[in-house]
Amino acid sequence: MKLNLSAFLQWRFNIFMCRMIGWRITFFYIRMLGTLYFLFNPKEKWKIRKAVKTVFSDHKYRPEIRSISKKVFRGIFSHYFEKFFNAYSTAGTLRNFVMNHMGSEDLDVIKQGLAKGKGILLITGHFGGVEFIPAFLGANNFPVSIVAKFKSKDLRNASVQQASNFLTKIIDAKQTPNIIQAIFDDLKANRIVITQCDEIDEWKPSRYDKLFFLGKQVRLDKTVNILSKRCGATVVFGVMHRDDNHRYKFIATSYEDIAKQYQRSINMPMGAMVLKFMEHYIYKYPEEWYQWKKYQGLDVFAPSGVDVKTPASIPVLKPSLI
């Protein structure tokens, strides 16, 4: 089995080094390891660059696309630093970082959702400081559950231990026999359950519903629609936007506000709307999405007998909060 970037960075020696050299230097260490990885894996690097070029070829000039690609790689390295810091820092260090570097103007959306007593289905994506969302919400005294998968036992054990310090429960996708039931149970307990709408490898495509996503027409993943219809929970879309100077902003938008911003909401499934909302963030901050290497995998979900490239005139849904 080919070693991917995540597994490479999570070698025990690399974890040991990160703990020894301190978190300030760890970022540069991860960046160095990532650069080395892509040096020996040029095809994967080319795949990411090609994805960025394909998505932005109708919207940006070549110098802009090259600049975006460079930022995308830096964003990938930032993601892994955040993953390590979130799992392996002390609870006190993480809590201080959350309180001093993260903020939000949208926590009323969370409070109002929990006030209904049926839990919140918080939909996010592989974007920005997503690893910090549970700690941020937990530090603000909200009960959180998150569906996650782990590349190593060390990371899983560290993450579970850290989660206990922040009112967070981890639903391990590899060890939970019935993930859907586990999600329903936690929603019934009036918890915030975090799931991702752009988990391309796990998509369960609809037979009928289609949409344009990042320039490709694809069959919609049914997961969000199934969850929202069966659980009765409040649906909120949220991202942890990564800003300059190690600052982060949690942005939460209710499903009702998303629907208001999209004129075709009456005829559009919930799963399609949140994915289009995710799309906006990717277009606006492409360096924060770390799924670019899986972009080509969207072709698997293309309806048969159609041109999968959307015209540049397709409008992009624009959240009003950023």
Side-chain angles (χ1 to χ4, degrees), residues 173-187:
K174 291 184 178 180
Q175 298 189 7
T176 305
N178 191 330
I179 297 175
I180 299 296
Q181 187 59 52
I183 290 174
F184 289 165
D185 290 343
D186 282 13
L187 290 173

Side-chain angles (χ1 to χ4, degrees), residues 106 108-110 112-114 116 119-124 197 220 224-229 231-238 251-278 281 317-321:
D106 310 312
D108 283 345
V109 174
I110 303 297
Q112 292 166 8
L114 290 177
K116 297 177 182 178
I120 293 177
L121 185 62
L122 178 62
I123 302 169
T124 185
C197 65
L220 178 66
V224 170
N225 291 334
I226 292 173
L227 288 173
S228 61
K229 288 179 180 179
C231 67
T234 298
V235 176
V236 173
F237 183 87
I251 305 170
T253 310
S254 69
Y255 169 70
E256 289 76 16
D257 284 341
I258 294 175
K260 289 177 183 177
Q261 293 183 50
Y262 205 58
Q263 295 178 355
R264 291 178 295 173
S265 60
I266 296 177
N267 301 318
M268 198 172 198
M270 180 183 293
M273 274 193 284
V274 296
L275 193 60
K276 292 298 289 183
F277 213 64
M278 179 77 243
Y281 284 101
L317 181 60
K318 296 183 178 181
S320 61
L321 299 176

Side-chain angles (χ1 to χ4, degrees), residues 198-226:
D198 60 348
E199 191 72 69
I200 297 171
D201 292 341
E202 305 295 332
W203 273 8
K204 296 175 176 59
S206 168
R207 181 179 300 179
Y208 307 106
D209 296 320
K210 300 182 288 291
L211 81 161
F212 283 101
F213 179 64
L214 296 177
K216 293 179 181 289
Q217 188 177 31
V218 297
R219 290 184 293 161
L220 178 66
D221 173 39
K222 298 184 294 184
T223 306
V224 170
N225 291 334
I226 292 173

Side-chain angles (χ1 to χ4, degrees), residues 184-196:
F184 289 165
D185 290 343
D186 282 13
L187 290 173
K188 288 178 182 178
N190 204 28
R191 299 178 65 87
I192 302 168
V193 178
I194 302 174
T195 188
Q196 293 170 316

